[in-house]
Amino acid sequence: MERETAKNLLVWGATILVAQNIVLILLIMMTFVLQDVNTIELVQTLSFWLDLIGFGLIGFGMLNIGIHYPSVGNFTQRGAYLAFGWVILSIIWRLIMGMLIPDFYLLGDPDIANLDLYAILPPVLFGIAAVLLLLLMFSFNTTMTKFQELEGIGTGKSNLFTAYAIVHIVGAAMIVVGWVPIAEIILDPASTSYGDLDAAVGGLFLAALGFIIKILPVPIMGIIAFLGVKNSFQTIE
């Protein structure tokens, strides 16, 4: 792949991720303003596709641009594999939860027969994907630093990427940890005690707080961070 094409993949991927984070912010506003559930679900589905496409393009861009810059090839290759891993895991858990294709659930419609799979598999895949994204953002920090040295692009190591990664993983961890006591009740409802119910309520609150973190500060930070990536790689001749 030519260097210009690899560069454009990174620029396009970053641009799509900026758009995806803007869509997330608009989705929050629509949730409070619109009463049309179908429109909100459509915009939500769009946001779930956009980040998959954006990170997929960034993965291919990083995989190929390293060929033209051997000194950073190890960093870009590692970042590419992390991006691909995040995309694959995110596709799987979103298909399981019916978030990518309306009314389509990869494991079938949720019911009593498969409730245990829905209680365990999506949160586990979501949590692993969040860790991969954390590592990807750290890898991006290193990559941008190396390109700053080679091409004079960007501003060196971006503290915003580090902050973005940490805030994102904190929100994701709160969702996963908060879901654990709820999943325990789902998996064994017969032995549920009052203490388990209290833990589930606390877990629900923790998960909701993590969700708020992921839909408010994370998109704003993502817009700024990926705008920086887009503008930086556009300067490469």
Side-chain angles (χ1 to χ4, degrees), residues 19 32 35 44 52 60 62 93 119 139-140 157 187 192 219 237:
F32 289 101
Q35 300 298 319
Q44 185 180 47
L52 295 176
F60 281 113
M62 293 183 74
W93 78 258
S139 178
F140 234 120
K157 189 171 183 179
L187 294 174
T192 300
E237 298 296 335

Side-chain angles (χ1 to χ4, degrees), residues 32-157:
F32 289 101
V33 175
L34 291 182
Q35 300 298 319
D36 188 349
V37 176
N38 292 330
T39 301
I40 293 174
E41 289 180 348
L42 180 63
V43 175
Q44 185 180 47
T45 301
L46 174 63
S47 72
F48 283 130
W49 278 104
L50 284 176
D51 63 351
L52 295 176
I53 296 170
F55 279 115
L57 290 176
I58 281 180
F60 281 113
M62 293 183 74
L63 188 65
N64 286 281
I65 204 166
I67 297 172
H68 304 283
Y69 299 93
S71 62
V72 298
N74 289 336
F75 301 107
T76 57
Q77 188 176 62
R78 186 183 305 125
Y81 293 148
L82 288 169
F84 293 148
W86 181 87
V87 169
I88 291 170
L89 290 177
S90 296
I91 288 175
I92 295 172
W93 78 258
R94 291 175 186 182
L95 283 175
I96 291 174
M97 297 300 292
M99 292 178 170
L100 287 183
I101 304 173
D103 300 320
F104 173 80
Y105 296 87
L106 188 62
L107 300 179
D109 292 344
D111 55 32
I112 297 300
N114 60 17
L115 199 57
D116 54 343
L117 283 176
Y118 275 93
I120 297 175
L121 191 54
V124 169
L125 295 176
F126 171 80
I128 297 174
V131 173
L132 292 183
L133 185 61
L134 174 71
L135 297 176
L136 173 59
M137 292 300 102
F138 289 152
S139 178
F140 234 120
N141 268 344
T142 304
T143 300
M144 294 297 290
T145 301
K146 294 298 180 180
F147 270 104
Q148 167 69 14
E149 297 171 357
L150 287 172
E151 295 286 329
I153 69 169
T155 56
K157 189 171 183 179

